[in-house]
Amino acid sequence: MKVYRSMDSFSRLRDAVATTGTFDGVHLGHLSILDRLVKSARALGGESVLITFDPHPRKVLQPETPLKLLSSLDEKIDRLRKTGLDHLIVQEFTLEFSRIRSLDFVRNLLVEHIGVRKLVIGHDHHFGRNREGSFEHLREFAPLYGFDVEEIPALDVDRVAVSSTKIRTALSEGKVDRAASFLGYFYGLDARVVKGDQIGRTLGFPTANLEPLDADKMLPAHGVYAVRVRVSENHWLQAMAHLGPRPALGRVEERFEVHLFDFEGDLYDRILRIEFVEHLRPIVSLSGTQALIDQLHQDQIQAKKALKSDGLPFNF
């Protein structure tokens, strides 16, 4: 897959089969579109093209409304490399770009600049200024500019349409297993190990305190989770994670920390990959240190049970 950091760096193709969108998280709904895109390009003897945007359009158009993302740009690119896509154009999204009319977007960018012969779009896709462009508009433009257009119906998982919004909702409720069923992989993020207060080791459960690398990445709801952690290339360990305050220790500040099973060593300043497998419990207040230790032992038992056969492939 060739990656272009702007439309201007892309040279026109003879038979491009293209789609556009933010593709945040590259979930199962996105994969359905991309699979059709790649197969359509091969059938036509052409090449597949995805035009995506960075930053996320909502961060530019609605800066007053915080938006947490499911994937960083690098994560998105890594996921897309596995789809068979030929070309990825990462177009900077600005206010000026957002004002392009739908007709100009199709005629000037897709047809004249990209060389689109066929467009493959997802259910309820909109584009152009004020999202004025729709599937109906594309069907009107298609015969005028010599391309075909195909709309992919909403993909259902257990009769629930897949969307980035529904994945964010699942994560906000701590339902990481539900999010994984929509994504097709365990939700995860990269974080740096930073200095903590080292209370965990006094309880027999030493933890690595984490600071997410991407401040825009969404974190699941507060709670205790079964997770798996990549400590180095191709080296994954089972673990449990705590996300939120620590009332049992009288601490109200939020912490993100993991206790790695069967591991000894110094991880300070290392970058770890953490993937959330199952929500074990909410954060609760406990009476005394021994009650906390007993609870941590129970958490570890439940986490190991959840991680025994997680049923999905590793994210990266």
Side-chain angles (χ1 to χ4, degrees), residues 168-232:
R168 290 190 188 95
T169 298
L171 292 173
S172 71
E173 296 172 349
K175 298 174 181 176
V176 293
D177 52 343
R178 185 172 178 81
S181 73
F182 291 155
L183 288 164
Y185 59 88
F186 290 119
Y187 183 73
L189 54 89
D190 296 324
R192 186 181 301 279
V193 179
V194 297
K195 287 290 186 183
D197 48 28
Q198 301 183 342
I199 294 177
R201 66 179 58 187
T202 67
L203 304 173
F205 289 87
T207 61
N209 291 274
L210 303 172
E211 186 176 278
L213 294 187
D214 189 340
D216 285 335
K217 279 276 288 189
M218 184 172 185
L219 288 171
H222 289 172
V224 177
Y225 295 87
V227 300
R228 53 188 187 182
V229 179
R230 185 178 64 195
V231 296
S232 61

Short mmCIF file of all heavy atoms in Angstrom, two decimals, residues 168-232:
data_model
loop_
_atom_site.label_atom_id
_atom_site.label_comp_id
_atom_site.label_asym_id
_atom_site.label_seq_id
_atom_site.Cartn_x
_atom_site.Cartn_y
_atom_site.Cartn_z
N ARG A 168 -17.66 3.68 20.44
CA ARG A 168 -17.33 4.62 21.51
C ARG A 168 -18.30 4.46 22.69
O ARG A 168 -17.89 4.53 23.85
CB ARG A 168 -17.38 6.06 20.99
CG ARG A 168 -16.27 6.42 20.02
CD ARG A 168 -16.24 7.92 19.75
NE ARG A 168 -15.30 8.21 18.69
CZ ARG A 168 -15.62 8.35 17.40
NH1 ARG A 168 -16.90 8.24 17.04
NH2 ARG A 168 -14.70 8.61 16.50
N THR A 169 -19.57 4.25 22.38
CA THR A 169 -20.55 4.05 23.44
C THR A 169 -20.22 2.80 24.26
O THR A 169 -20.26 2.82 25.49
CB THR A 169 -21.97 3.92 22.85
OG1 THR A 169 -22.31 5.14 22.18
CG2 THR A 169 -22.99 3.65 23.94
N ALA A 170 -19.87 1.72 23.58
CA ALA A 170 -19.52 0.48 24.27
C ALA A 170 -18.30 0.70 25.18
O ALA A 170 -18.30 0.27 26.34
CB ALA A 170 -19.23 -0.63 23.26
N LEU A 171 -17.30 1.40 24.68
CA LEU A 171 -16.11 1.67 25.50
C LEU A 171 -16.44 2.56 26.68
O LEU A 171 -15.93 2.35 27.79
CB LEU A 171 -15.02 2.31 24.64
CG LEU A 171 -14.40 1.42 23.56
CD1 LEU A 171 -13.46 2.24 22.67
CD2 LEU A 171 -13.64 0.26 24.19
N SER A 172 -17.30 3.55 26.47
CA SER A 172 -17.66 4.47 27.55
C SER A 172 -18.42 3.76 28.66
O SER A 172 -18.48 4.24 29.79
CB SER A 172 -18.49 5.63 27.01
OG SER A 172 -19.78 5.21 26.64
N GLU A 173 -19.02 2.61 28.33
CA GLU A 173 -19.74 1.80 29.31
C GLU A 173 -18.89 0.66 29.85
O GLU A 173 -19.37 -0.17 30.63
CB GLU A 173 -21.02 1.25 28.68
CG GLU A 173 -22.01 2.34 28.27
CD GLU A 173 -23.18 1.81 27.48
OE1 GLU A 173 -23.13 0.62 27.07
OE2 GLU A 173 -24.15 2.55 27.27
N GLY A 174 -17.63 0.59 29.43
CA GLY A 174 -16.73 -0.48 29.87
C GLY A 174 -16.95 -1.79 29.17
O GLY A 174 -16.34 -2.80 29.54
N LYS A 175 -17.78 -1.81 28.15
CA LYS A 175 -18.10 -3.07 27.45
C LYS A 175 -17.07 -3.32 26.34
O LYS A 175 -17.35 -3.25 25.14
CB LYS A 175 -19.51 -2.99 26.87
CG LYS A 175 -20.58 -2.83 27.95
CD LYS A 175 -21.96 -2.63 27.35
CE LYS A 175 -23.02 -2.44 28.43
NZ LYS A 175 -24.37 -2.15 27.87
N VAL A 176 -15.85 -3.64 26.77
CA VAL A 176 -14.76 -3.78 25.81
C VAL A 176 -14.93 -5.03 24.95
O VAL A 176 -14.44 -5.08 23.81
CB VAL A 176 -13.39 -3.80 26.53
CG1 VAL A 176 -13.09 -2.44 27.15
CG2 VAL A 176 -13.33 -4.90 27.59
N ASP A 177 -15.62 -6.05 25.47
CA ASP A 177 -15.87 -7.24 24.66
C ASP A 177 -16.85 -6.91 23.53
O ASP A 177 -16.71 -7.41 22.41
CB ASP A 177 -16.40 -8.39 25.51
CG ASP A 177 -17.61 -8.00 26.36
OD1 ASP A 177 -17.87 -6.79 26.55
OD2 ASP A 177 -18.31 -8.92 26.82
N ARG A 178 -17.83 -6.06 23.80
CA ARG A 178 -18.77 -5.63 22.77
C ARG A 178 -18.04 -4.78 21.71
O ARG A 178 -18.27 -4.94 20.51
CB ARG A 178 -19.91 -4.84 23.40
CG ARG A 178 -21.02 -4.45 22.43
CD ARG A 178 -22.19 -3.84 23.18
NE ARG A 178 -23.25 -3.40 22.30
CZ ARG A 178 -24.18 -4.20 21.78
NH1 ARG A 178 -24.15 -5.49 22.06
NH2 ARG A 178 -25.12 -3.73 21.00
N ALA A 179 -17.19 -3.88 22.18
CA ALA A 179 -16.40 -3.07 21.25
C ALA A 179 -15.56 -3.96 20.34
O ALA A 179 -15.46 -3.73 19.14
CB ALA A 179 -15.52 -2.09 22.02
N ALA A 180 -14.96 -5.00 20.91
CA ALA A 180 -14.13 -5.92 20.13
C ALA A 180 -14.95 -6.65 19.07
O ALA A 180 -14.47 -6.91 17.97
CB ALA A 180 -13.44 -6.92 21.05
N SER A 181 -16.21 -6.98 19.40
CA SER A 181 -17.06 -7.67 18.43
C SER A 181 -17.39 -6.77 17.25
O SER A 181 -17.65 -7.26 16.15
CB SER A 181 -18.34 -8.15 19.10
OG SER A 181 -19.23 -7.09 19.38
N PHE A 182 -17.39 -5.46 17.45
CA PHE A 182 -17.62 -4.51 16.37
C PHE A 182 -16.33 -4.23 15.58
O PHE A 182 -16.35 -4.05 14.37
CB PHE A 182 -18.14 -3.19 16.91
CG PHE A 182 -19.54 -3.24 17.46
CD1 PHE A 182 -19.94 -2.32 18.43
CD2 PHE A 182 -20.46 -4.17 17.02
CE1 PHE A 182 -21.23 -2.34 18.94
CE2 PHE A 182 -21.74 -4.21 17.53
CZ PHE A 182 -22.13 -3.29 18.49
N LEU A 183 -15.22 -4.18 16.31
CA LEU A 183 -13.94 -3.84 15.68
C LEU A 183 -13.34 -5.02 14.91
O LEU A 183 -12.69 -4.83 13.88
CB LEU A 183 -12.95 -3.38 16.75
CG LEU A 183 -13.19 -2.00 17.38
CD1 LEU A 183 -12.39 -1.86 18.67
CD2 LEU A 183 -12.83 -0.89 16.40
N GLY A 184 -13.52 -6.22 15.46
CA GLY A 184 -12.85 -7.39 14.89
C GLY A 184 -11.49 -7.61 15.51
O GLY A 184 -10.74 -8.49 15.11
N TYR A 185 -11.16 -6.84 16.52
CA TYR A 185 -9.90 -6.97 17.26
C TYR A 185 -10.10 -6.30 18.61
O TYR A 185 -11.04 -5.53 18.81
CB TYR A 185 -8.72 -6.34 16.51
CG TYR A 185 -8.90 -4.85 16.21
CD1 TYR A 185 -8.50 -3.87 17.12
CD2 TYR A 185 -9.45 -4.42 15.00
CE1 TYR A 185 -8.65 -2.53 16.86
CE2 TYR A 185 -9.61 -3.07 14.72
CZ TYR A 185 -9.21 -2.13 15.65
OH TYR A 185 -9.39 -0.79 15.38
N PHE A 186 -9.21 -6.58 19.55
CA PHE A 186 -9.31 -5.96 20.86
C PHE A 186 -8.88 -4.51 20.80
O PHE A 186 -7.83 -4.18 20.22
CB PHE A 186 -8.45 -6.71 21.89
CG PHE A 186 -8.98 -8.06 22.22
CD1 PHE A 186 -8.24 -9.20 21.98
CD2 PHE A 186 -10.25 -8.22 22.77
CE1 PHE A 186 -8.73 -10.45 22.29
CE2 PHE A 186 -10.75 -9.47 23.09
CZ PHE A 186 -9.99 -10.58 22.84
N TYR A 187 -9.68 -3.65 21.41
CA TYR A 187 -9.32 -2.23 21.45
C TYR A 187 -8.06 -2.05 22.28
O TYR A 187 -7.92 -2.64 23.36
CB TYR A 187 -10.46 -1.42 22.06
CG TYR A 187 -10.19 0.06 22.07
CD1 TYR A 187 -10.24 0.78 20.88
CD2 TYR A 187 -9.85 0.73 23.23
CE1 TYR A 187 -9.99 2.15 20.86
CE2 TYR A 187 -9.59 2.10 23.23
CZ TYR A 187 -9.66 2.80 22.04
OH TYR A 187 -9.39 4.14 22.01
N GLY A 188 -7.15 -1.22 21.80
CA GLY A 188 -5.90 -1.03 22.52
C GLY A 188 -5.30 0.33 22.29
O GLY A 188 -5.78 1.14 21.48
N LEU A 189 -4.23 0.59 23.00
CA LEU A 189 -3.51 1.85 22.86
C LEU A 189 -2.07 1.66 23.32
O LEU A 189 -1.72 0.69 24.00
CB LEU A 189 -4.19 2.96 23.67
CG LEU A 189 -4.46 2.70 25.15
CD1 LEU A 189 -3.28 3.14 26.01
CD2 LEU A 189 -5.71 3.44 25.59
N ASP A 190 -1.23 2.60 22.93
CA ASP A 190 0.17 2.61 23.34
C ASP A 190 0.35 3.59 24.49
O ASP A 190 -0.25 4.68 24.50
CB ASP A 190 1.08 3.02 22.17
CG ASP A 190 1.03 2.01 21.03
OD1 ASP A 190 0.94 0.81 21.31
OD2 ASP A 190 1.08 2.44 19.86
N ALA A 191 1.17 3.21 25.46
CA ALA A 191 1.39 4.06 26.62
C ALA A 191 2.82 3.91 27.11
O ALA A 191 3.42 2.84 26.98
CB ALA A 191 0.41 3.72 27.74
N ARG A 192 3.32 4.99 27.68
CA ARG A 192 4.68 4.97 28.24
C ARG A 192 4.61 4.68 29.74
O ARG A 192 3.72 5.17 30.44
CB ARG A 192 5.36 6.33 28.02
CG ARG A 192 6.84 6.37 28.46
CD ARG A 192 7.44 7.74 28.23
NE ARG A 192 7.37 8.12 26.83
CZ ARG A 192 8.24 7.72 25.89
NH1 ARG A 192 9.24 6.91 26.22
NH2 ARG A 192 8.11 8.13 24.64
N VAL A 193 5.55 3.88 30.22
CA VAL A 193 5.63 3.58 31.65
C VAL A 193 6.30 4.76 32.35
O VAL A 193 7.40 5.17 31.98
CB VAL A 193 6.43 2.29 31.91
CG1 VAL A 193 6.51 2.01 33.41
CG2 VAL A 193 5.79 1.11 31.18
N VAL A 194 5.60 5.31 33.35
CA VAL A 194 6.11 6.47 34.09
C VAL A 194 6.22 6.11 35.57
O VAL A 194 5.69 5.10 36.03
CB VAL A 194 5.18 7.69 33.91
CG1 VAL A 194 5.15 8.13 32.45
CG2 VAL A 194 3.77 7.39 34.39
N LYS A 195 6.91 6.95 36.32
CA LYS A 195 7.09 6.72 37.75
C LYS A 195 5.76 6.80 38.49
O LYS A 195 4.94 7.68 38.25
CB LYS A 195 8.06 7.76 38.33
CG LYS A 195 9.51 7.55 37.93
CD LYS A 195 10.10 6.32 38.62
CE LYS A 195 11.60 6.21 38.34
NZ LYS A 195 12.18 4.99 38.93
N GLY A 196 5.54 5.85 39.40
CA GLY A 196 4.35 5.87 40.23
C GLY A 196 4.73 5.95 41.69
O GLY A 196 5.89 6.22 42.03
N ASP A 197 3.76 5.71 42.57
CA ASP A 197 4.04 5.80 44.01
C ASP A 197 4.49 4.46 44.59
O ASP A 197 4.76 4.37 45.79
CB ASP A 197 2.82 6.33 44.77
CG ASP A 197 1.53 5.61 44.37
OD1 ASP A 197 1.62 4.43 43.95
OD2 ASP A 197 0.46 6.23 44.47
N GLN A 198 4.53 3.41 43.76
CA GLN A 198 5.08 2.11 44.14
C GLN A 198 4.35 1.45 45.31
O GLN A 198 4.93 0.65 46.05
CB GLN A 198 6.58 2.23 44.45
CG GLN A 198 7.38 2.77 43.26
CD GLN A 198 8.86 2.85 43.52
OE1 GLN A 198 9.31 2.82 44.67
NE2 GLN A 198 9.63 2.95 42.46
N ILE A 199 3.06 1.77 45.45
CA ILE A 199 2.27 1.13 46.51
C ILE A 199 1.98 -0.32 46.15
O ILE A 199 1.94 -1.20 47.03
CB ILE A 199 0.95 1.91 46.74
CG1 ILE A 199 1.27 3.31 47.29
CG2 ILE A 199 0.03 1.16 47.68
CD1 ILE A 199 0.04 4.18 47.49
N GLY A 200 1.76 -0.59 44.86
CA GLY A 200 1.40 -1.93 44.43
C GLY A 200 2.35 -3.01 44.89
O GLY A 200 1.93 -4.10 45.30
N ARG A 201 3.64 -2.72 44.85
CA ARG A 201 4.62 -3.75 45.22
C ARG A 201 4.53 -4.10 46.71
O ARG A 201 4.84 -5.22 47.09
CB ARG A 201 6.02 -3.30 44.85
CG ARG A 201 6.57 -2.12 45.62
CD ARG A 201 7.98 -1.77 45.18
NE ARG A 201 8.02 -1.48 43.75
CZ ARG A 201 9.15 -1.28 43.07
NH1 ARG A 201 10.32 -1.38 43.68
NH2 ARG A 201 9.11 -0.99 41.79
N THR A 202 4.10 -3.15 47.53
CA THR A 202 3.95 -3.44 48.96
C THR A 202 2.76 -4.36 49.22
O THR A 202 2.66 -4.97 50.29
CB THR A 202 3.76 -2.15 49.78
OG1 THR A 202 2.51 -1.54 49.45
CG2 THR A 202 4.89 -1.17 49.49
N LEU A 203 1.85 -4.47 48.23
CA LEU A 203 0.68 -5.33 48.35
C LEU A 203 0.90 -6.69 47.68
O LEU A 203 0.04 -7.55 47.72
CB LEU A 203 -0.54 -4.66 47.72
CG LEU A 203 -0.92 -3.27 48.25
CD1 LEU A 203 -2.04 -2.68 47.40
CD2 LEU A 203 -1.33 -3.35 49.71
N GLY A 204 2.07 -6.84 47.05
CA GLY A 204 2.34 -8.06 46.31
C GLY A 204 1.85 -8.02 44.87
O GLY A 204 1.86 -9.04 44.18
N PHE A 205 1.45 -6.84 44.42
CA PHE A 205 0.96 -6.65 43.05
C PHE A 205 1.63 -5.42 42.44
O PHE A 205 0.99 -4.37 42.27
CB PHE A 205 -0.56 -6.49 43.03
CG PHE A 205 -1.31 -7.75 43.35
CD1 PHE A 205 -1.61 -8.09 44.66
CD2 PHE A 205 -1.72 -8.61 42.33
CE1 PHE A 205 -2.29 -9.26 44.96
CE2 PHE A 205 -2.40 -9.78 42.62
CZ PHE A 205 -2.69 -10.10 43.94
N PRO A 206 2.92 -5.52 42.09
CA PRO A 206 3.59 -4.36 41.49
C PRO A 206 2.94 -3.98 40.17
O PRO A 206 2.52 -4.84 39.40
CB PRO A 206 5.03 -4.87 41.28
CG PRO A 206 4.90 -6.36 41.23
CD PRO A 206 3.78 -6.70 42.16
N THR A 207 2.84 -2.68 39.93
CA THR A 207 2.19 -2.20 38.72
C THR A 207 3.10 -1.28 37.93
O THR A 207 4.00 -0.64 38.48
CB THR A 207 0.89 -1.43 39.04
OG1 THR A 207 1.22 -0.29 39.85
CG2 THR A 207 -0.10 -2.31 39.77
N ALA A 208 2.84 -1.25 36.61
CA ALA A 208 3.47 -0.27 35.73
C ALA A 208 2.46 0.85 35.52
O ALA A 208 1.35 0.61 35.06
CB ALA A 208 3.85 -0.91 34.39
N ASN A 209 2.84 2.05 35.92
CA ASN A 209 1.97 3.21 35.74
C ASN A 209 2.13 3.76 34.33
O ASN A 209 3.25 3.93 33.85
CB ASN A 209 2.32 4.29 36.77
CG ASN A 209 1.95 3.86 38.18
OD1 ASN A 209 0.83 4.04 38.61
ND2 ASN A 209 2.90 3.25 38.87
N LEU A 210 1.00 4.05 33.69
CA LEU A 210 1.00 4.32 32.25
C LEU A 210 0.51 5.72 31.92
O LEU A 210 -0.41 6.24 32.55
CB LEU A 210 0.13 3.29 31.53
CG LEU A 210 0.50 1.83 31.75
CD1 LEU A 210 -0.56 0.91 31.14
CD2 LEU A 210 1.88 1.54 31.14
N GLU A 211 1.11 6.26 30.88
CA GLU A 211 0.70 7.54 30.32
C GLU A 211 0.46 7.35 28.82
O GLU A 211 1.41 7.13 28.08
CB GLU A 211 1.78 8.59 30.55
CG GLU A 211 1.38 9.99 30.14
CD GLU A 211 2.48 10.99 30.49
OE1 GLU A 211 2.53 11.42 31.65
OE2 GLU A 211 3.29 11.30 29.60
N PRO A 212 -0.80 7.39 28.36
CA PRO A 212 -1.09 7.17 26.93
C PRO A 212 -0.29 8.13 26.05
O PRO A 212 -0.13 9.31 26.38
CB PRO A 212 -2.59 7.44 26.82
CG PRO A 212 -3.12 7.11 28.19
CD PRO A 212 -2.04 7.56 29.15
N LEU A 213 0.21 7.63 24.94
CA LEU A 213 1.01 8.45 24.03
C LEU A 213 0.14 9.45 23.27
O LEU A 213 0.60 10.54 22.94
CB LEU A 213 1.76 7.56 23.03
CG LEU A 213 2.83 6.63 23.59
CD1 LEU A 213 3.57 5.96 22.45
CD2 LEU A 213 3.81 7.39 24.48
N ASP A 214 -1.07 9.06 22.96
CA ASP A 214 -1.96 9.91 22.16
C ASP A 214 -3.09 10.43 23.04
O ASP A 214 -3.97 9.66 23.45
CB ASP A 214 -2.53 9.12 20.98
CG ASP A 214 -3.27 9.99 19.98
OD1 ASP A 214 -3.68 11.11 20.35
OD2 ASP A 214 -3.46 9.56 18.83
N ALA A 215 -3.07 11.72 23.33
CA ALA A 215 -4.09 12.30 24.21
C ALA A 215 -5.48 12.25 23.60
O ALA A 215 -6.48 12.38 24.32
CB ALA A 215 -3.72 13.75 24.55
N ASP A 216 -5.58 12.08 22.28
CA ASP A 216 -6.88 12.02 21.61
C ASP A 216 -7.51 10.64 21.63
O ASP A 216 -8.67 10.47 21.26
CB ASP A 216 -6.75 12.48 20.15
CG ASP A 216 -6.59 13.99 20.03
OD1 ASP A 216 -7.04 14.70 20.95
OD2 ASP A 216 -6.03 14.45 19.03
N LYS A 217 -6.75 9.63 22.03
CA LYS A 217 -7.28 8.27 22.05
C LYS A 217 -8.27 8.10 23.20
O LYS A 217 -8.05 8.55 24.32
CB LYS A 217 -6.16 7.25 22.22
CG LYS A 217 -5.43 6.93 20.93
CD LYS A 217 -6.15 5.85 20.13
CE LYS A 217 -6.01 4.50 20.78
NZ LYS A 217 -6.52 3.41 19.91
N MET A 218 -9.35 7.40 22.91
CA MET A 218 -10.36 7.15 23.92
C MET A 218 -9.91 6.08 24.90
O MET A 218 -9.29 5.10 24.51
CB MET A 218 -11.67 6.71 23.24
CG MET A 218 -12.82 6.53 24.21
SD MET A 218 -14.38 6.23 23.36
CE MET A 218 -15.50 6.22 24.78
N LEU A 219 -10.22 6.30 26.16
CA LEU A 219 -10.00 5.29 27.20
C LEU A 219 -11.33 4.67 27.58
O LEU A 219 -12.35 5.37 27.62
CB LEU A 219 -9.35 5.92 28.43
CG LEU A 219 -7.89 6.33 28.31
CD1 LEU A 219 -7.47 7.13 29.54
CD2 LEU A 219 -7.00 5.11 28.15
N PRO A 220 -11.37 3.38 27.89
CA PRO A 220 -12.61 2.77 28.37
C PRO A 220 -13.04 3.38 29.70
O PRO A 220 -12.28 4.11 30.34
CB PRO A 220 -12.26 1.29 28.51
CG PRO A 220 -11.03 1.10 27.68
CD PRO A 220 -10.29 2.40 27.74
N ALA A 221 -14.23 3.02 30.14
CA ALA A 221 -14.74 3.51 31.42
C ALA A 221 -13.85 3.06 32.57
O ALA A 221 -13.11 2.08 32.46
CB ALA A 221 -16.16 2.97 31.62
N HIS A 222 -13.92 3.78 33.67
CA HIS A 222 -13.19 3.38 34.87
C HIS A 222 -13.54 1.95 35.26
O HIS A 222 -14.68 1.52 35.13
CB HIS A 222 -13.54 4.31 36.03
CG HIS A 222 -12.99 5.69 35.89
ND1 HIS A 222 -13.31 6.72 36.74
CD2 HIS A 222 -12.13 6.21 34.98
CE1 HIS A 222 -12.67 7.82 36.37
NE2 HIS A 222 -11.97 7.54 35.30
N GLY A 223 -12.54 1.23 35.72
CA GLY A 223 -12.79 -0.13 36.16
C GLY A 223 -11.52 -0.95 36.16
O GLY A 223 -10.42 -0.44 35.93
N VAL A 224 -11.68 -2.24 36.42
CA VAL A 224 -10.58 -3.20 36.40
C VAL A 224 -10.82 -4.13 35.21
O VAL A 224 -11.93 -4.63 35.02
CB VAL A 224 -10.51 -4.00 37.71
CG1 VAL A 224 -9.40 -5.05 37.65
CG2 VAL A 224 -10.27 -3.04 38.89
N TYR A 225 -9.78 -4.37 34.43
CA TYR A 225 -9.90 -5.10 33.17
C TYR A 225 -8.86 -6.22 33.07
O TYR A 225 -7.74 -6.10 33.58
CB TYR A 225 -9.69 -4.17 31.98
CG TYR A 225 -10.74 -3.11 31.83
CD1 TYR A 225 -10.64 -1.89 32.50
CD2 TYR A 225 -11.84 -3.31 30.99
CE1 TYR A 225 -11.60 -0.91 32.36
CE2 TYR A 225 -12.81 -2.32 30.84
CZ TYR A 225 -12.69 -1.13 31.52
OH TYR A 225 -13.65 -0.17 31.38
N ALA A 226 -9.26 -7.29 32.38
CA ALA A 226 -8.28 -8.27 31.91
C ALA A 226 -7.70 -7.72 30.61
O ALA A 226 -8.45 -7.34 29.70
CB ALA A 226 -8.96 -9.61 31.65
N VAL A 227 -6.39 -7.64 30.54
CA VAL A 227 -5.73 -7.06 29.37
C VAL A 227 -4.56 -7.94 28.95
O VAL A 227 -4.10 -8.81 29.69
CB VAL A 227 -5.21 -5.63 29.65
CG1 VAL A 227 -6.35 -4.70 30.03
CG2 VAL A 227 -4.14 -5.63 30.75
N ARG A 228 -4.10 -7.72 27.75
CA ARG A 228 -2.83 -8.31 27.33
C ARG A 228 -1.92 -7.18 26.90
O ARG A 228 -2.36 -6.15 26.38
CB ARG A 228 -3.04 -9.33 26.23
CG ARG A 228 -3.81 -8.85 25.02
CD ARG A 228 -4.11 -10.02 24.11
NE ARG A 228 -4.70 -9.57 22.84
CZ ARG A 228 -5.08 -10.40 21.88
NH1 ARG A 228 -4.92 -11.70 22.03
NH2 ARG A 228 -5.60 -9.94 20.76
N VAL A 229 -0.63 -7.36 27.17
CA VAL A 229 0.33 -6.26 27.04
C VAL A 229 1.52 -6.71 26.21
O VAL A 229 2.12 -7.76 26.48
CB VAL A 229 0.81 -5.80 28.44
CG1 VAL A 229 1.83 -4.67 28.30
CG2 VAL A 229 -0.38 -5.35 29.29
N ARG A 230 1.85 -5.91 25.22
CA ARG A 230 3.06 -6.17 24.44
C ARG A 230 4.19 -5.38 25.06
O ARG A 230 4.18 -4.15 25.08
CB ARG A 230 2.85 -5.75 22.98
CG ARG A 230 4.05 -6.11 22.08
CD ARG A 230 3.78 -5.72 20.63
NE ARG A 230 3.63 -4.28 20.51
CZ ARG A 230 3.10 -3.68 19.44
NH1 ARG A 230 2.64 -4.40 18.44
NH2 ARG A 230 3.00 -2.37 19.39
N VAL A 231 5.18 -6.09 25.57
CA VAL A 231 6.31 -5.44 26.23
C VAL A 231 7.49 -5.25 25.29
O VAL A 231 8.38 -4.43 25.55
CB VAL A 231 6.75 -6.21 27.49
CG1 VAL A 231 5.64 -6.21 28.52
CG2 VAL A 231 7.14 -7.64 27.14
N SER A 232 7.51 -6.01 24.21
CA SER A 232 8.52 -5.85 23.17
C SER A 232 7.97 -6.52 21.91
O SER A 232 6.90 -7.14 21.95
CB SER A 232 9.86 -6.47 23.57
OG SER A 232 9.72 -7.85 23.81
#
